[in-house]
Amino acid sequence: MNKVAVIDIGTYSTRMLIASYQLKETLEESIKTIKDILSLGKITSLGKKVQETGYIQQESMLETLTVLKEYVMMAKEYKVENIIASATQACRIAKNASEFLLKVKSLGIDVSVISGEEEAKLSFLATAYGVMPESSFVVIDQGGGSTEFAYGKKEDEKYKLIKAISFPFGIVNLTEKYIKSDPPKEEEINQMRKYLKEQIKIAYQDMKDTKEIIGLGGTITTVMALEKHIYPYDSSKIHNQILTFEAIDRWLNKLSKMTIQERKAIPMIEDKRAEAIISGIVIFHTAMQIFNADKIKISEYGLRHGRLIKYIADKLNLDLGV
């Protein structure tokens, strides 16, 4: 039994998965042995004001490093063979990203900045093998600084990625750019929606034949927790579940009329997420409208599981093209 810690250093949150696996003859057989041991996530807002200033703020950097130190201690307690990490949009664009990454590496974390396309491919891999759709599907991985759309289908018992697009919008930069009022004005949300429509239509042109939409990220899992009254959070009650467009529309209307403080008072919404959740819901709401989708399936398998699958593939000397 092998154990590894996989960390996702996102623009909005920093998450760690400790999982066990066994190497088998094929990647598919090896993936089936993966077992989640521990899954953690904290909102660290690494990308706060990066779009505006070009730099990771010192406060956000320190908060993220503090969380990473805790993760390293936990990983060592579980005696993992390796601690690997992916950094995404904030570290792609920040002028002081190299300073931050050096500090991360000094903690004993093997970290790499992945491109938006790589992020989309990894999320596709994880979702494909985590949800196992039977036909064509689009994965929407909504993050803090970028959102990935990946389109693929099942062929000969394997999943084939057809198209992947990474857009430079997420809940952090959308909130900073468009939402100036508390609660947000309808005009602010409409301006955001107008921008998103222009972007998402680009993905739709190449992905319109999809039979299924699958959503990843803290926003969509939070909406599911709200809809199903799940508290405390339980990923087993979220993964592979269905949210209707009607439910997303209802929660968008309800939450957008609340102040940040009122949203914070809802147990299912983390304090920091209360500030940016509206933008996240608008992303999914707009995407479902453009794709004419009346429902979306939720996946708990995202970038961390994708990175784990790539890690196993590397050990098997397989090239996944990521």
Side-chain angles (χ1 to χ4, degrees):
M1 184 77 70
N2 306 292
K3 284 186 284 190
V4 66
V6 188
I7 298 173
D8 170 13
I9 304 171
T11 302
Y12 193 56
S13 60
T14 302
R15 308 177 77 194
M16 178 175 72
L17 170 72
I18 294 177
S20 64
Y21 70 94
Q22 293 177 35
L23 284 182
K24 299 290 186 179
E25 287 189 14
T26 68
L27 179 61
E28 286 72 27
E29 287 175 323
S30 301
I31 289 171
K32 287 175 184 175
T33 72
I34 293 173
K35 286 187 172 57
D36 293 3
I37 297 170
L38 179 69
S39 181
L40 299 167
K42 289 191 178 180
I43 295 172
T44 50
S45 301
L46 187 67
K48 186 178 182 180
K49 295 187 178 177
V50 168
Q51 197 80 28
E52 176 189 335
T53 66
Y55 291 88
I56 297 171
Q57 304 301 295
Q58 288 300 312
E59 181 187 353
S60 301
M61 192 182 292
L62 287 172
E63 187 172 355
T64 305
L65 289 167
T66 299
V67 169
L68 289 171
K69 284 176 188 174
E70 293 173 10
Y71 286 173
V72 169
M73 287 173 61
M74 290 180 194
K76 287 179 178 176
E77 285 177 15
Y78 279 89
K79 296 182 170 56
V80 301
E81 66 185 25
N82 205 350
I83 304 173
I84 55 174
S86 302
T88 54
Q89 183 70 0
C91 290
R92 288 177 205 136
I93 64 174
K95 294 173 184 175
N96 59 341
S98 57
E99 173 197 340
F100 170 70
L101 292 168
L102 279 173
K103 290 178 179 178
V104 174
K105 288 177 182 178
S106 72
L107 299 176
I109 299 172
D110 177 17
V111 61
S112 58
V113 179
I114 59 173
S115 69
E117 187 178 355
E118 287 174 311
E119 188 174 355
K121 288 178 179 178
L122 289 168
S123 295
F124 173 84
L125 272 176
T127 303
Y129 289 103
V131 175
M132 296 193 156
E134 287 300 319
S135 56
S136 59
F137 60 102
V138 169
V139 178
I140 303 175
D141 183 4
Q142 171 260 299
S146 67
T147 296
E148 285 68 44
F149 282 67
Y151 170 57
K153 58 184 176 180
K154 192 174 186 179
E155 283 185 355
D156 301 323
E157 297 306 308
K158 292 189 178 182
Y159 290 101
K160 179 186 177 184
L161 176 64
I162 298 168
K163 181 78 175 182
I165 302 175
S166 179
F167 292 103
F169 60 76
I171 58 174
V172 174
N173 48 27
L174 286 176
T175 301
E176 289 177 351
K177 184 175 180 180
Y178 291 102
I179 297 184
K180 310 295 183 184
S181 310
D182 184 24
K185 293 177 181 175
E186 192 173 335
E187 180 186 343
E188 293 169 347
I189 292 175
N190 287 339
Q191 285 296 315
M192 185 193 303
R193 194 190 303 280
K194 182 182 177 184
Y195 165 75
L196 288 171
K197 280 181 177 177
E198 292 170 358
Q199 298 296 306
I200 296 170
K201 280 178 182 176
I202 297 169
Y204 178 70
Q205 292 307 311
D206 293 314
M207 306 177 184
K208 63 179 72 170
D209 293 333
T210 186
K211 299 289 192 295
E212 191 171 6
I213 305 285
I214 302 171
L216 313 183
T219 295
I220 202 71
T221 56
T222 298
V223 176
M224 177 61 83
L226 288 165
E227 180 69 8
K228 302 291 185 183
H229 306 287
I230 299 168
Y231 184 80
Y233 189 83
D234 184 344
S235 60
S236 66
K237 295 178 180 176
I238 302 286
H239 183 64
N240 243 338
Q241 298 301 304
I242 299 288
L243 256 181
T244 63
F245 177 79
E246 182 275 327
I248 291 172
D249 184 68
R250 178 166 24 87
W251 282 108
L252 176 58
N253 287 329
K254 185 173 182 178
L255 295 175
S256 62
K257 289 179 174 64
M258 295 181 180
T259 64
I260 291 170
Q261 285 304 125
E262 286 170 334
R263 294 196 291 270
K264 283 182 178 181
I266 300 172
M268 294 83 166
I269 303 178
E270 298 162 272
D271 277 6
K272 287 188 177 180
R273 190 169 301 283
E275 300 171 14
I277 192 170
I278 301 304
S279 299
I281 301 175
V282 175
I283 290 172
F284 285 105
H285 190 270
T286 306
M288 290 178 76
Q289 284 181 317
I290 290 171
F291 278 85
N292 300 307
D294 59 1
K295 62 185 178 181
I296 185 169
K297 185 173 280 188
I298 313 304
S299 174
E300 274 282 346
Y301 285 61
L303 179 58
R304 294 172 300 164
H305 285 89
R307 189 74 199 273
L308 176 56
I309 290 170
K310 182 182 183 300
Y311 180 79
I312 293 170
D314 288 345
K315 284 188 169 290
L316 292 170
N317 294 315
L318 297 173
D319 183 9
L320 296 178
V322 184

